[in-house]
Amino acid sequence: MNAQPAIQETVDAALDVEGLTHSFGEKKALDDVALTIRPGDFTVLLGLNGAGKTTLYSLITRLYNNRSGAIRILGFDVRRQSPQALSKIGVVFQQPTLDLDLTVEQNLHYHAALHGISRSDAQKRLETELDRIGLSERLHDKVRELSGGQRRRVEIARSLLHHPKLLLLDEPTVGLDIGSRQGILDHVRKLCREDKLAVLWATHLIDEIDEGEQVVILDQGRVLARGDVAEVNKQAGTKTIREAFNKLVGDKAETGT
Amino acid sequence: MTPMHYYRCFAGIVWREALRFVHQRERFLSALVRPLVWLFIFAAGFRSVLGVSIIPPYETYITYEVYIAPGLMGMIQLFNGMQSSLSMVYDREMGSMRTLLVSPLPRWFLLTCKLLAGVAVSIIQVYAFLFVAWFWDIQPPLEGLLYALPALALSGMMLGALGMFLSSAIKQLENFAGIMNFVIFPMFFASSALYPLWKMKESSTLLYDICWYNPFTHAVELIRFALYGQINWVSAAYVGGTTIVFLSLAIYGYDPGRGLISRKGGK
């Protein structure tokens, strides 16, 4: 992670969030959140359930508007330039979003159509993406026949069809066994390295963070620490990211890990 | 965002709805069986109780079955509109509504595509019903079957838009059962689907007024007149106006800035 001038960083950022506050009624779900992700960064958004991760994702994907602060994707403001901004994002939601009764191919074609990709182009792209996740031979199978881990991989393939620059994943490994979890992590890390894809990976599982990766610790809507693992440890005065998380978030973390 | 993008998106949404329809045979069967049960059983039982005099658009005495056929066509669309909104509530909980909403085209366009796709499905169901009903001596003029098409498109839009608005306002699936009871049944019974409104007037003028203002009444009358080659302009205007109101409410409900969705946290 080479240090770049601050101005350069915001121009180049795949995702730039600043001063983001959002409330549902009285309750503040996000409080002055700021974070930056550069191309090729694998950033882990670490927080317990209810920390505000899903709200943050909803705002970045403009499910609803931010009322304060700014969210920019490759410089495009999500609110004012939403078509340009949204076309750069790939999303894997926490809940499964594939049509179980349709085949893998049909699901992927639907997504490609939403992004205005022609059918023949979509066919090439989906074959490439399925090949990368090793599910080519399942093209014509119904999603219902796939395992949980395979469905997740299809969702990742789908999120890449329109060649986004920023990939958002909200607790993508929930409910998966250790093998599939690791497989998906490895695949997404590889995308980061090879395609220079910027990734925001939300999780409450501390062991999904590797040394040298970017971490944002979110608790009760506030960013408690951000930077690479070493920096976060330095800020918290701890040796491991687990200690840092426990120290910053407190005892609640024990149940969440 | 080129026009081609809009077209591909529209085609994709309609295509998905059609695929889902083909795969959900139970949904199609129940959509077909429900009005047929009304036609075969309810109408047979009430045939002798309710005499229907000659009222427009009919030119001769008709059987009760013939009278309620347009009402049942409306019922198919009413259920379909509510069912597609049910699937939207379900979709939203399952997240696939979110996949639609995070795609780059404007949200009003995405919702309108979704609406049109639902209307297309409802029209297929209506014609399947008409096909079976034909053998039960419900035989409107053949050209009436063609004239009914634009009427069905408009009434389907109105009922689909109503369902879509409700789906933006409903937080959870459980609340939907309530909406079925408070929307579908009152709309259906307080309309001209099962009895001509002049009969209602004999019982209560208040009920008559309620029925007259019920948009479902006008959807049914629009279909009824179209089926016999006539245009009921009052009903057409009423249904058209109501469609615009419902669709605006639905788009408002899903608006990321002001809508109900942002107040609920999108779940």
Side-chain angles (χ1 to χ4, degrees), chain A residues 24 54 58 61-65 67 83 86-87 91 93 95-97 99 101-102 106 109-110 113-119 142 158, chain B residues 1 5 8-9 12-13 15-16 19-20 23 92-96 98-104 107 256-257 261-263 265-267:
Chain A
F24 296 116
T54 300
S58 298
T61 55
R62 202 174 176 252
L63 188 66
Y64 31 89
N65 278 345
R67 300 213 171 88
L86 289 176
S87 64
V91 195
F93 291 110
Q95 314 98 314
T97 57
D99 263 313
D101 292 319
L102 304 189
Q106 288 165 341
H109 267 302
Y110 170 60
L114 291 182
H115 283 269
I117 301 166
S118 77
R119 227 183 140 75
K142 283 191 179 174
R158 179 179 65 176
Chain B
M1 307 300 130
H5 187 163
R8 282 177 185 144
C9 176
I13 292 173
W15 176 79
R16 169 179 181 260
L19 277 177
R20 276 162 63 98
H23 286 288
R92 207 168 59 213
E93 290 194 348
M94 302 308 284
S96 83
R98 297 185 68 175
T99 0
L100 178 71
L101 295 181
V102 300
S103 62
R107 201 165 284 187
I261 197 166
S262 65
R263 241 166 283 156
K267 286 202 176 169

Side-chain angles (χ1 to χ4, degrees), chain B residues 171-191:
Chain B
K171 192 164 182 179
Q172 278 171 338
L173 270 181
E174 296 92 83
N175 297 348
F176 202 82
I179 297 283
M180 300 292 260
N181 281 330
F182 289 107
V183 177
I184 291 194
F185 289 132
M187 268 189 114
F188 184 60
F189 288 118
S191 78

Side-chain angles (χ1 to χ4, degrees), chain B residues 25-60:
Chain B
R25 290 203 190 85
E26 314 84 55
R27 184 175 148 199
F28 178 59
L29 266 182
S30 66
L32 193 57
V33 166
R34 196 179 302 115
L36 288 176
V37 165
W38 280 83
L39 186 64
F40 294 162
I41 303 173
F42 180 88
F46 273 79
R47 175 177 221 167
S48 50
V49 181
L50 299 167
V52 179
S53 66
I54 300 176
I55 49 163
Y58 305 108
E59 282 155 5
T60 57

Side-chain angles (χ1 to χ4, degrees), chain B residues 89-153:
Chain B
V89 175
Y90 177 77
D91 274 1
R92 207 168 59 213
E93 290 194 348
M94 302 308 284
S96 83
M97 190 64 188
R98 297 185 68 175
T99 0
L100 178 71
L101 295 181
V102 300
S103 62
L105 290 180
R107 201 165 284 187
W108 65 263
F109 179 77
L110 298 171
L111 293 171
T112 307
C113 288
K114 182 112 177 141
L115 178 62
L116 291 173
V119 172
V121 166
S122 82
I123 289 177
I124 298 171
Q125 291 172 346
V126 168
Y127 278 102
F129 164 74
L130 281 174
F131 176 77
V132 179
W134 188 269
F135 301 102
W136 202 255
D137 281 339
I138 315 291
Q139 298 178 341
L142 275 177
E143 67 272 18
L145 296 178
L146 190 65
Y147 295 142
L149 189 61
L152 288 167

Side-chain angles (χ1 to χ4, degrees), chain B residues 155-178:
Chain B
S155 57
M157 286 277 284
M158 180 186 84
L159 296 166
L162 171 65
M164 189 177 278
F165 164 62
L166 291 175
S167 80
S168 74
I170 298 168
K171 192 164 182 179
Q172 278 171 338
L173 270 181
E174 296 92 83
N175 297 348
F176 202 82

